[in-house]
Amino acid sequence: MEDILVRLKDLPYGMNAVTILDEDGDYNVYVNARLSYDGQLQAQRHEMVHIQRDDFYNSLSIEEAENI
């Protein structure tokens, strides 16, 4: 399995987390540092679901992937 790197970063308001697949095939998960600790954990779990479902390798739009 590819590496999953999780980092805290100040993200724009309303963005809890984002995952970027890099050129090495690693997942870079950026969790909003402005969230509470519980909010950060929830955002990280949400991103892990996308990784486990292979949302980066299917044909779903972002909107479809978020609404499953």
Side-chain angles (χ1 to χ4, degrees):
M1 180 175 204
E2 298 83 7
D3 287 332
I4 301 172
L5 308 164
V6 180
R7 299 176 181 91
L8 291 176
K9 182 169 178 67
D10 286 343
L11 297 175
Y13 176 77
M15 181 182 285
N16 293 339
V18 63
T19 299
I20 299 171
L21 186 63
D22 68 22
E23 63 275 356
D24 296 325
D26 296 330
Y27 296 97
N28 295 270
V29 179
Y30 297 94
V31 177
N32 196 335
R34 298 174 182 169
L35 297 173
S36 67
Y37 180 74
D38 288 338
Q40 291 171 359
L41 290 177
Q42 183 177 3
Q44 181 180 341
R45 283 192 296 267
H46 177 89
E47 294 304 306
M48 293 299 147
V49 169
H50 287 298
I51 293 169
Q52 291 171 343
R53 285 194 325 216
D54 286 330
D55 283 347
F56 293 88
Y57 296 103
N58 63 34
S59 61
L60 296 176
S61 69
I62 292 172
E63 293 80 14
E64 291 170 322
E66 287 296 326
N67 291 320
I68 290 179

